[in-house]
mmCIF file of all heavy atoms in Angstrom:
data_model
loop_
_atom_site.group_PDB
_atom_site.id
_atom_site.type_symbol
_atom_site.label_atom_id
_atom_site.label_comp_id
_atom_site.label_asym_id
_atom_site.label_seq_id
_atom_site.Cartn_x
_atom_site.Cartn_y
_atom_site.Cartn_z
ATOM 1 N N HIS A 195 81.269 141.462 147.318
ATOM 2 C CA HIS A 195 82.131 140.843 148.203
ATOM 3 C C HIS A 195 82.268 139.306 147.804
ATOM 4 O O HIS A 195 81.375 138.568 147.647
ATOM 5 C CB HIS A 195 81.536 140.983 149.714
ATOM 6 C CG HIS A 195 81.366 142.344 150.084
ATOM 7 N ND1 HIS A 195 82.481 143.061 150.655
ATOM 8 C CD2 HIS A 195 80.399 143.189 150.098
ATOM 9 C CE1 HIS A 195 82.107 144.314 150.953
ATOM 10 N NE2 HIS A 195 80.784 144.409 150.637
ATOM 11 N N LEU A 200 89.416 133.218 146.984
ATOM 12 C CA LEU A 200 89.041 133.401 145.603
ATOM 13 C C LEU A 200 89.604 134.681 144.951
ATOM 14 O O LEU A 200 90.010 134.663 143.819
ATOM 15 C CB LEU A 200 87.518 133.138 145.441
ATOM 16 C CG LEU A 200 86.948 133.291 144.089
ATOM 17 C CD1 LEU A 200 87.521 132.074 143.136
ATOM 18 C CD2 LEU A 200 85.447 133.235 143.975
ATOM 19 N N LYS A 202 92.079 136.340 145.841
ATOM 20 C CA LYS A 202 93.543 136.333 145.616
ATOM 21 C C LYS A 202 93.864 135.556 144.362
ATOM 22 O O LYS A 202 94.830 135.911 143.636
ATOM 23 C CB LYS A 202 94.167 135.586 146.868
ATOM 24 C CG LYS A 202 95.759 135.555 146.858
ATOM 25 C CD LYS A 202 96.291 134.989 148.003
ATOM 26 C CE LYS A 202 97.823 135.017 147.974
ATOM 27 N NZ LYS A 202 98.446 134.352 149.171
ATOM 28 N N LEU A 204 91.785 135.230 141.599
ATOM 29 C CA LEU A 204 91.231 136.048 140.404
ATOM 30 C C LEU A 204 91.959 137.328 140.199
ATOM 31 O O LEU A 204 92.076 137.886 139.144
ATOM 32 C CB LEU A 204 89.800 136.183 140.673
ATOM 33 C CG LEU A 204 88.888 135.084 140.665
ATOM 34 C CD1 LEU A 204 87.388 135.439 140.809
ATOM 35 C CD2 LEU A 204 88.918 134.312 139.198
ATOM 36 N N GLY A 205 92.417 137.885 141.364
ATOM 37 C CA GLY A 205 92.980 139.329 141.294
ATOM 38 C C GLY A 205 91.721 140.235 141.239
ATOM 39 O O GLY A 205 90.548 139.848 141.528
ATOM 40 N N TRP A 208 88.618 141.340 137.474
ATOM 41 C CA TRP A 208 87.170 141.051 137.186
ATOM 42 C C TRP A 208 86.165 142.052 137.537
ATOM 43 O O TRP A 208 85.111 142.171 137.096
ATOM 44 C CB TRP A 208 86.866 139.626 137.625
ATOM 45 C CG TRP A 208 86.778 139.598 139.185
ATOM 46 C CD1 TRP A 208 87.859 139.420 140.019
ATOM 47 C CD2 TRP A 208 85.615 139.768 139.922
ATOM 48 N NE1 TRP A 208 87.369 139.470 141.302
ATOM 49 C CE2 TRP A 208 86.038 139.679 141.330
ATOM 50 C CE3 TRP A 208 84.273 139.865 139.717
ATOM 51 C CZ2 TRP A 208 85.218 139.785 142.371
ATOM 52 C CZ3 TRP A 208 83.450 140.051 140.732
ATOM 53 C CH2 TRP A 208 83.817 139.944 142.105
ATOM 54 N N THR A 217 84.462 133.899 123.186
ATOM 55 C CA THR A 217 83.272 133.032 122.733
ATOM 56 C C THR A 217 83.713 132.092 121.591
ATOM 57 O O THR A 217 84.757 132.166 121.014
ATOM 58 C CB THR A 217 82.115 133.929 122.318
ATOM 59 O OG1 THR A 217 80.990 133.112 122.135
ATOM 60 C CG2 THR A 217 82.433 134.827 121.186
ATOM 61 N N MET A 230 72.706 128.377 112.946
ATOM 62 C CA MET A 230 73.591 129.307 113.693
ATOM 63 C C MET A 230 73.863 128.716 115.115
ATOM 64 O O MET A 230 72.896 128.063 115.637
ATOM 65 C CB MET A 230 73.017 130.706 113.785
ATOM 66 C CG MET A 230 72.783 131.310 112.433
ATOM 67 S SD MET A 230 72.095 133.047 112.586
ATOM 68 C CE MET A 230 73.705 133.830 112.806
ATOM 69 N N ASP A 233 78.206 129.106 122.053
ATOM 70 C CA ASP A 233 78.363 128.585 123.418
ATOM 71 C C ASP A 233 77.651 129.678 124.239
ATOM 72 O O ASP A 233 77.037 130.648 123.751
ATOM 73 C CB ASP A 233 79.816 128.568 123.715
ATOM 74 C CG ASP A 233 80.481 129.867 124.015
ATOM 75 O OD1 ASP A 233 80.314 130.756 123.180
ATOM 76 O OD2 ASP A 233 81.145 129.972 124.970
ATOM 77 N N SER A 254 65.234 140.260 112.842
ATOM 78 C CA SER A 254 64.023 140.261 112.033
ATOM 79 C C SER A 254 63.511 138.882 112.305
ATOM 80 O O SER A 254 64.006 138.042 112.979
ATOM 81 C CB SER A 254 64.354 140.540 110.537
ATOM 82 O OG SER A 254 63.155 140.686 109.877
ATOM 83 N N ALA A 266 78.401 144.746 125.598
ATOM 84 C CA ALA A 266 77.682 146.003 125.542
ATOM 85 C C ALA A 266 77.643 146.545 124.209
ATOM 86 O O ALA A 266 76.619 146.967 123.630
ATOM 87 C CB ALA A 266 78.357 147.023 126.479
ATOM 88 N N THR A 294 70.387 143.078 103.368
ATOM 89 C CA THR A 294 70.061 144.459 103.911
ATOM 90 C C THR A 294 70.651 144.508 105.371
ATOM 91 O O THR A 294 71.184 145.435 105.829
ATOM 92 C CB THR A 294 68.656 144.689 103.846
ATOM 93 O OG1 THR A 294 68.208 144.754 102.467
ATOM 94 C CG2 THR A 294 68.248 146.095 104.484
ATOM 95 N N ALA A 296 72.912 142.669 106.806
ATOM 96 C CA ALA A 296 74.331 142.563 106.849
ATOM 97 C C ALA A 296 75.002 143.868 106.563
ATOM 98 O O ALA A 296 76.001 144.402 107.183
ATOM 99 C CB ALA A 296 74.831 141.514 105.794
ATOM 100 N N LEU A 302 77.445 150.172 110.664
ATOM 101 C CA LEU A 302 77.620 150.631 112.038
ATOM 102 C C LEU A 302 79.006 150.146 112.635
ATOM 103 O O LEU A 302 79.696 150.891 113.314
ATOM 104 C CB LEU A 302 76.581 149.902 112.935
ATOM 105 C CG LEU A 302 75.115 150.559 112.768
ATOM 106 C CD1 LEU A 302 74.083 149.625 113.467
ATOM 107 C CD2 LEU A 302 75.044 151.989 113.397
ATOM 108 N N VAL A 338 79.707 134.339 102.855
ATOM 109 C CA VAL A 338 80.449 132.968 102.939
ATOM 110 C C VAL A 338 79.418 131.919 103.139
ATOM 111 O O VAL A 338 78.353 132.148 103.564
ATOM 112 C CB VAL A 338 81.469 133.052 104.138
ATOM 113 C CG1 VAL A 338 82.630 133.935 103.906
ATOM 114 C CG2 VAL A 338 80.739 133.406 105.460
ATOM 115 N N GLY A 343 83.665 132.524 114.615
ATOM 116 C CA GLY A 343 84.187 133.771 115.233
ATOM 117 C C GLY A 343 84.443 133.576 116.743
ATOM 118 O O GLY A 343 84.090 132.532 117.215
ATOM 119 N N TYR A 349 90.661 127.486 117.147
ATOM 120 C CA TYR A 349 91.003 126.010 117.454
ATOM 121 C C TYR A 349 90.217 125.038 116.356
ATOM 122 O O TYR A 349 90.629 123.848 116.359
ATOM 123 C CB TYR A 349 90.609 125.526 118.894
ATOM 124 C CG TYR A 349 91.329 126.354 119.989
ATOM 125 C CD1 TYR A 349 90.740 127.476 120.531
ATOM 126 C CD2 TYR A 349 92.457 125.954 120.395
ATOM 127 C CE1 TYR A 349 91.356 128.109 121.588
ATOM 128 C CE2 TYR A 349 93.166 126.623 121.380
ATOM 129 C CZ TYR A 349 92.638 127.665 121.931
ATOM 130 O OH TYR A 349 93.231 128.334 123.001
ATOM 131 N N LYS A 368 73.383 120.701 111.466
ATOM 132 C CA LYS A 368 73.220 120.893 112.847
ATOM 133 C C LYS A 368 74.255 120.055 113.566
ATOM 134 O O LYS A 368 74.877 120.543 114.515
ATOM 135 C CB LYS A 368 71.814 120.578 113.341
ATOM 136 C CG LYS A 368 70.729 121.506 112.834
ATOM 137 C CD LYS A 368 69.284 121.056 113.112
ATOM 138 C CE LYS A 368 69.035 120.946 114.566
ATOM 139 N NZ LYS A 368 67.509 120.656 114.794
ATOM 140 N N GLY A 387 79.976 126.257 128.820
ATOM 141 C CA GLY A 387 78.626 126.260 129.202
ATOM 142 C C GLY A 387 77.806 125.262 128.349
ATOM 143 O O GLY A 387 78.082 124.027 128.259
ATOM 144 N N THR A 395 64.932 128.564 108.189
ATOM 145 C CA THR A 395 64.486 128.156 106.754
ATOM 146 C C THR A 395 63.293 129.219 106.286
ATOM 147 O O THR A 395 62.838 130.011 107.156
ATOM 148 C CB THR A 395 64.002 126.735 106.712
ATOM 149 O OG1 THR A 395 62.757 126.690 107.503
ATOM 150 C CG2 THR A 395 65.018 125.782 107.301
ATOM 151 N N GLY A 406 75.515 121.048 128.664
ATOM 152 C CA GLY A 406 76.987 120.793 128.691
ATOM 153 C C GLY A 406 77.153 119.211 128.918
ATOM 154 O O GLY A 406 78.232 118.720 128.371
ATOM 155 N N ASN A 407 76.357 118.571 129.627
ATOM 156 C CA ASN A 407 76.616 117.084 129.843
ATOM 157 C C ASN A 407 76.157 116.310 128.657
ATOM 158 O O ASN A 407 76.234 115.105 128.690
ATOM 159 C CB ASN A 407 75.962 116.690 131.121
ATOM 160 C CG ASN A 407 74.425 116.811 131.093
ATOM 161 O OD1 ASN A 407 73.926 117.464 130.344
ATOM 162 N ND2 ASN A 407 73.689 116.083 132.016
ATOM 163 N N THR A 411 81.632 114.198 122.664
ATOM 164 C CA THR A 411 83.009 114.244 123.191
ATOM 165 C C THR A 411 83.860 113.444 122.080
ATOM 166 O O THR A 411 83.478 112.650 121.279
ATOM 167 C CB THR A 411 83.024 113.357 124.453
ATOM 168 O OG1 THR A 411 82.463 112.017 124.222
ATOM 169 C CG2 THR A 411 82.255 114.093 125.589
#
Side-chain angles (χ1 to χ4, degrees):
H195 297 281
L200 179 61
K202 187 175 181 180
L204 294 175
W208 68 275
T217 184
M230 307 184 75
D233 77 311
S254 186
T294 299
L302 290 168
V338 288
Y349 298 95
K368 287 169 69 172
T395 65
N407 63 342
T411 56

